[in-house]
Amino acid sequence: LRGEAPTTNHHTCPPCAYVRWAQVVAAFDLAGRPGLIRLLRTAQPFEHHVCRSALPRMRARAPLFRAIAKNGNLSDTALSGAAVHASIRRRAQAAGYDGSIVAQLGGHSLRAGFVTQAFRNGADAHAIMRQTGHTNPATVELYAREHAPLVERRHRDRALSVYVDLGSTPPGLSECPPPVVPRRYRHDWALFVDWCQACDHRVLPTQPSVLAEFLADHPAADGTQRRRVTAINTVHTTAGLPAPGRAETIRQLVNNARADRLAQVGKRVAQVLPRIPVTGWPGGLFGRRDALLLSLAAAGLSFEEIARLRRSDITAERDTLVLRAGEEGWVRVTTESGVDPTAVYWNWVEVLGFLDRYPSTQLLAGRLDKGAELAAFAANARRDGRPLLTPIDRWGHTPFAPTPLTGHSVAGQVRAHLTGQAPVHKRPPARTPTLLHENAVAPVAVDVDQDYYDRGIVARRNAHTRLETVTDILDGIDDEADKLLADLLAILDRTEID
């Protein structure tokens, strides 16, 4: 290999280009594709010359220029002449050269361009021969093509900047039985395993965030990305593990139509939410619950996942909701869609806290009718396993026994609001007052203090505790009565015999 003088610009420096490519070849020869992935991921920005650094150690007599497969593996054989010509033409076309000129380019075109430009710069034939290896000056003159010189050299904006500690080795997989991989998915699964080894990620099980990072590091067509996700899901399902590709974030990454549809839903929800009431009875009660339904649906949660949410599954952190739902694990709901999810969430939690403190629909109706603040009751909401979202009847009553909404009910409420067909919840008709008899005593208004209901609840709980054994006592009385009856019948039978 003849020496090539360094240039002022490190992007156009031939020795730098050689060192960087040699690092790639050495990394692959030492640790395979995982080592190559680690090399490219940990590369430092290419901001200065690297030609003065130590050369990496490569295999003796191994070809320098090799074919690169689609999966990132380097072949063991050297590039063919046709492959070299194809690479040069592809890069020239990407650089913007005319198609007619690109069709005439090849390896000798660059060689001829070097000789031609050297003559233009004033170099003599002997100096050029030392670089090109020619032995006859007449042959060098043949390479001087002044009729079609390559004056410019264009380069890609993104250069490959690499640095690697070649003494390191990729970590091994966790000690577990090898997964069963269908034949049609072996290539995609092998690529994922190599990437996990290089990035120190666990292969099984895989989290959705790791899968999203893998897809970002391996850009490809939508069909290819969907096949990769299907391969990873299949291996996980076969191993009895949750499929990471079923998470909403992954579905949006590999399905642009789904992501666009969800973005449209978010815009529509942002338009609908300001028109949903949070005060008045019973519209304020329904509005607070339905606003939370819409916010969660705009975040990409399925209707079944929304219906299964429990009070302990959701937490508010400043302007973000963190909730545990489905196979995706923890989901963050932010304000990207123009909706403040935390404000919507706290509106509903205030209602739950009020009902936990005062289980009276009439008191809640009075508060909502007056538009009174309920923020002080948010701290009273219990974070337990009860459903977060419950049905509400036309009178504004929630079920006494904890009952969650169904996925079908959630879907109906969301679609009704998005299509502008949400029902208007009016105040139920007031009951007709009963006429008092002329001798009846008129009711006396009594002022009830704030602790009245607490005392009543405690009294009922104590009464329930004390009466727990009543059933057993009554059962004992029945048994004694049956015994006395049997004894009486026996006595009567003996009297008749006598």
Side-chain angles (χ1 to χ4, degrees):
L1 180 66
R2 293 171 179 81
E4 184 77 21
T7 60
T8 304
N9 189 350
H10 57 282
H11 287 291
T12 59
C13 178
C16 288
Y18 167 73
V19 171
R20 293 161 60 209
W21 174 246
Q23 290 174 342
V24 171
V25 175
F28 185 82
D29 289 343
L30 179 64
R33 187 167 55 183
L36 181 58
I37 295 174
R38 184 182 294 104
L39 169 72
L40 301 181
R41 284 179 57 86
T42 60
Q44 299 296 326
F46 183 47
E47 298 175 349
H48 51 78
H49 284 276
V50 296
C51 54
R52 296 176 179 84
S53 59
L55 290 176
R57 182 178 299 177
M58 295 183 293
R59 290 187 302 170
R61 305 187 64 82
L64 177 64
F65 296 104
R66 313 176 193 177
I68 305 175
K70 292 182 178 180
N71 58 4
N73 287 327
L74 301 184
S75 66
D76 293 331
T77 58
L79 277 177
S80 63
V84 173
H85 292 323
S87 299
I88 294 173
R89 291 168 184 168
R90 184 172 62 252
R91 296 300 180 183
Q93 185 175 8
Y97 285 100
D98 185 76
S100 59
I101 298 178
V102 172
Q104 302 175 9
L105 293 179
H108 275 76
S109 301
L110 298 182
R111 186 174 174 87
F114 170 77
V115 174
T116 301
Q117 193 64 37
F119 277 120
R120 289 167 62 93
N121 292 341
D124 57 19
H126 292 283
I128 298 174
M129 288 168 56
R130 286 194 299 271
Q131 183 65 31
T132 60
H134 290 106
T135 59
N136 189 349
T139 306
V140 177
E141 296 291 341
L142 293 177
Y143 275 88
R145 303 174 183 177
E146 283 295 337
H147 61 282
L150 294 177
V151 179
E152 297 184 12
R153 290 184 181 182
R154 302 182 182 180
H155 302 271
R156 292 175 64 109
D157 295 335
R158 296 183 61 186
L160 181 63
S161 307
V162 294
Y163 172 81
V164 66
D165 181 9
L166 296 178
S168 62
T169 57
L173 290 174
S174 58
E175 308 222 345
C176 60
V180 179
V181 183
R183 181 181 298 274
R184 62 182 180 275
Y185 294 139
R186 288 179 181 176
H187 166 76
D188 300 299
W189 179 250
L191 175 63
F192 178 69
V193 171
D194 290 342
W195 178 84
C196 288
Q197 286 181 311
C199 302
D200 296 332
H201 290 305
R202 186 164 55 175
V203 179
L204 286 174
T206 299
Q207 299 298 326
S209 58
V210 175
L211 180 54
E213 185 179 355
F214 167 74
L215 297 177
D217 283 354
H218 298 81
D222 291 343
T224 302
Q225 298 288 50
R226 285 194 290 269
R227 188 188 69 242
R228 291 171 176 172
V229 173
T230 302
I232 296 172
N233 285 345
T234 301
V235 175
H236 278 72
T237 304
T238 305
L241 299 171
R246 294 176 184 171
E248 182 61 32
T249 52
I250 304 301
R251 292 181 177 181
Q252 295 183 38
L253 283 176
V254 299
N255 192 338
N256 293 330
R258 184 184 184 91
D260 295 340
R261 182 170 63 253
L262 190 60
Q264 294 177 0
V265 171
K267 293 180 181 179
R268 177 58 180 164
V269 169
Q271 297 173 354
V272 172
L273 280 185
R275 299 197 294 265
I276 296 180
V278 294
T279 59
W281 183 262
L285 178 63
F286 283 94
R288 294 183 182 224
R289 185 202 62 180
D290 295 350
L292 183 57
L293 289 176
L294 292 172
S295 300
L296 297 177
L301 273 71
S302 67
F303 299 137
E304 291 294 338
E305 290 175 342
I306 296 174
R308 288 194 297 264
L309 284 176
R310 302 290 172 173
R311 293 191 182 188
S312 58
D313 291 338
I314 188 166
T315 305
E317 297 179 357
R318 295 184 180 179
D319 59 347
T320 303
L321 288 183
V322 181
L323 52 94
R324 181 173 53 239
E327 299 176 354
E328 192 164 355
W330 292 98
V331 180
R332 299 181 68 88
V333 182
T334 61
T335 58
E336 293 180 357
S337 60
V339 178
D340 186 0
T342 55
V344 175
Y345 168 71
W346 285 119
N347 284 340
W348 176 243
V349 171
E350 291 171 1
V351 172
L352 297 180
F354 185 91
L355 292 178
D356 289 343
R357 184 76 171 82
Y358 305 111
S360 171
T361 304
Q362 186 175 0
L363 289 179
L364 179 61
R367 288 270 184 167
L368 292 178
D369 274 338
K370 296 177 182 178
E373 287 290 336
L374 299 177
F377 299 96
N380 296 327
R382 300 170 187 168
R383 296 181 53 82
D384 50 23
R386 288 184 293 175
L388 176 66
L389 301 161
T390 58
I392 305 173
D393 64 12
R394 64 189 294 263
W395 302 99
H397 297 290
T398 57
F400 181 77
T403 305
L405 282 172
T406 64
H408 181 73
S409 299
V410 174
Q413 294 293 336
V414 172
R415 292 194 183 99
H417 282 282
L418 295 182
T419 57
Q421 299 177 355
V424 178
H425 299 283
K426 299 181 179 179
R427 177 181 290 277
R431 298 178 180 178
T432 304
T434 305
L435 296 178
L436 296 177
H437 192 269
E438 58 181 3
N439 297 326
V441 179
V444 179
V446 179
D447 294 333
V448 181
D449 59 344
Q450 294 293 332
D451 296 332
Y452 172 79
Y453 293 98
D454 290 340
R455 292 195 302 271
I457 293 174
V458 172
R460 290 187 179 184
R461 186 179 294 111
N462 293 336
H464 178 74
T465 303
R466 295 173 181 174
L467 294 176
E468 283 181 347
T469 59
V470 170
T471 303
D472 297 336
I473 294 174
L474 294 178
D475 292 339
I477 294 173
D478 290 339
D479 294 339
E480 292 294 335
D482 293 339
K483 186 178 179 181
L484 291 175
L485 179 61
D487 294 342
L488 179 61
L489 293 176
I491 294 173
L492 293 177
D493 291 339
R494 287 198 299 268
T495 303
E496 293 177 359
I497 295 173
D498 293 343

